[in-house]
Amino acid sequence: MEDKKVVIITGAAMGIGKAAVDRFGRAGWQIAAVDWNGEALAATEAEMTGKGYAVDAYVLNVADYDACAAMVTDVEAKYGRINGLYNNAGILGDRDGILGFDHETVKDAFEVNVFGSLNLIQLVARVMDRLGIQGAIVNTTSINAEVGTWDPIGYIGSKGAMKAITQGAAFHLGAQGIRVNAVSPGATITPMAASVYDVPPAREAVALNHNRHRWITPEEVANAAFWLISDEASGVNGIVVAVDDGYATGKGADLLGIFEEWESEHPQA
């Protein structure tokens, strides 16, 4: 059995999860790549193994506790350890807000985004605790957990819940030497985001909410998640790292630019 560190990455078929598979692969980790989209996951597995990375694919819905338990058991049996977990799987839901949301759609978002993450936090932490591994877990929250946005209310609520769960889990598991942190992406260029922001004016408006007026790349989020799980972040526990190009610092108008433009057009005013 090779002495590689082992990480489980969910939502691994596309977007941020796929970028994370690539990042951990480059660092020489053994990767259990999890997604419910079997076709897309198979393509990612083929691409990453073609680069020489050690990747095993598991097709499952993280909201299914028994399926998660079977996967975690298999990973431990194969490799004898689990050093990291990146809870990245998530769904967005529809665009309806408070006045028009569908209850079942909101429940679906919580089942995947919250309970799916909780399933794996518990299962993986039990393995780490039993084996005496001082591992690390990273969850995915969102800019939606920091500032008000128009995004689907089920998504907003679920990401707010994951921020609180991250802090609570860090407290609960710290005595076992298990660190729990989160990444909070701004608007990120992923297939899921493209399905919602499907018109150019909307994409442009969202870009303006970031300090440098551009979207975040999946690789930027994956790099942060990798750092949090790595030993380089060994003293970091219970925090949320914003990968949002300053979105959470404020998304108001560029007042300095407005003042400068006004003064140039109205000298001595």
Side-chain angles (χ1 to χ4, degrees), residues 34-118:
V34 177
D35 206 286
W36 65 8
N37 185 330
E39 183 177 352
L41 184 61
T44 293
E45 180 185 27
E47 179 182 340
M48 298 302 169
T49 55
K51 293 181 178 183
Y53 303 159
V55 181
D56 285 332
Y58 292 86
V59 180
L60 60 92
N61 181 350
V62 295
D64 183 336
Y65 186 88
D66 290 340
C68 288
M71 179 271 295
V72 170
T73 297
D74 189 68
V75 171
E76 183 190 356
K78 281 183 178 178
Y79 305 111
R81 70 189 73 83
I82 301 174
N83 303 93
L85 165 66
Y86 181 23
N87 266 325
N88 173 69
I91 61 174
L92 196 57
D94 55 37
R95 293 175 178 169
D96 292 331
I98 290 290
L99 298 180
F101 73 83
D102 175 72
H103 284 76
E104 292 305 316
T105 301
V106 171
K107 288 178 183 177
D108 288 344
F110 272 77
E111 283 291 332
V112 174
N113 301 353
V114 178
F115 289 102
S117 295
L118 273 173

Side-chain angles (χ1 to χ4, degrees), residues 87 121 125 135-139 162 165-174 177-182 228 236-240:
N87 266 325
I121 291 171
I137 295 169
V138 171
N139 298 316
M162 284 313 303
I165 287 169
T166 295
Q167 294 168 328
F171 180 83
H172 279 260
L173 298 173
I178 301 168
R179 297 183 297 108
V180 185
N181 295 291
L228 286 170
V236 181
N237 193 26
I239 71 163
V240 177

Side-chain angles (χ1 to χ4, degrees), residues 12-263:
M14 297 181 286
I16 295 169
K18 180 179 178 180
V21 173
D22 187 70
R23 182 64 187 86
F24 280 89
R26 283 189 279 120
W29 286 57
Q30 174 65 53
I31 301 158
V34 177
D35 206 286
W36 65 8
N37 185 330
E39 183 177 352
L41 184 61
T44 293
E45 180 185 27
E47 179 182 340
M48 298 302 169
T49 55
K51 293 181 178 183
Y53 303 159
V55 181
D56 285 332
Y58 292 86
V59 180
L60 60 92
N61 181 350
V62 295
D64 183 336
Y65 186 88
D66 290 340
C68 288
M71 179 271 295
V72 170
T73 297
D74 189 68
V75 171
E76 183 190 356
K78 281 183 178 178
Y79 305 111
R81 70 189 73 83
I82 301 174
N83 303 93
L85 165 66
Y86 181 23
N87 266 325
N88 173 69
I91 61 174
L92 196 57
D94 55 37
R95 293 175 178 169
D96 292 331
I98 290 290
L99 298 180
F101 73 83
D102 175 72
H103 284 76
E104 292 305 316
T105 301
V106 171
K107 288 178 183 177
D108 288 344
F110 272 77
E111 283 291 332
V112 174
N113 301 353
V114 178
F115 289 102
S117 295
L118 273 173
N119 288 344
L120 286 166
I121 291 171
Q122 182 186 73
L123 291 162
V124 170
R126 283 175 173 173
V127 173
M128 291 175 175
D129 183 41
R130 175 164 43 78
L131 298 179
I133 295 172
Q134 295 196 353
I137 295 169
V138 171
N139 298 316
T140 302
T141 64
S142 171
I143 186 63
N144 296 284
E146 310 299 330
V147 299
T149 73
W150 72 272
D151 285 306
I153 198 65
Y155 185 77
I156 293 171
S158 67
K159 293 303 181 178
M162 284 313 303
K163 178 181 179 180
I165 287 169
T166 295
Q167 294 168 328
F171 180 83
H172 279 260
L173 298 173
Q176 283 73 38
I178 301 168
R179 297 183 297 108
V180 185
N181 295 291
V183 288
S184 174
T188 307
I189 305 167
T190 66
M192 185 171 73
S195 71
V196 176
Y197 299 99
D198 53 357
V199 295
R203 291 194 294 271
E204 293 163 7
V206 169
L208 293 175
N209 288 333
H210 301 77
N211 288 172
R212 289 178 291 175
H213 298 174
R214 53 93 171 186
W215 283 59
I216 304 299
T217 68
E219 290 74 19
E220 289 171 317
V221 183
N223 285 339
F226 174 79
W227 176 74
L228 286 170
I229 288 178
S230 76
D231 291 339
E232 292 183 359
S234 58
V236 181
N237 193 26
I239 71 163
V240 177
V241 174
V243 188
D244 64 359
D245 194 42
Y247 193 128
T249 64
K251 53 179 182 175
D254 177 12
L255 292 180
L256 180 60
I258 291 171
F259 285 133
E260 290 175 346
E261 182 178 355
W262 174 268
E263 289 167 358

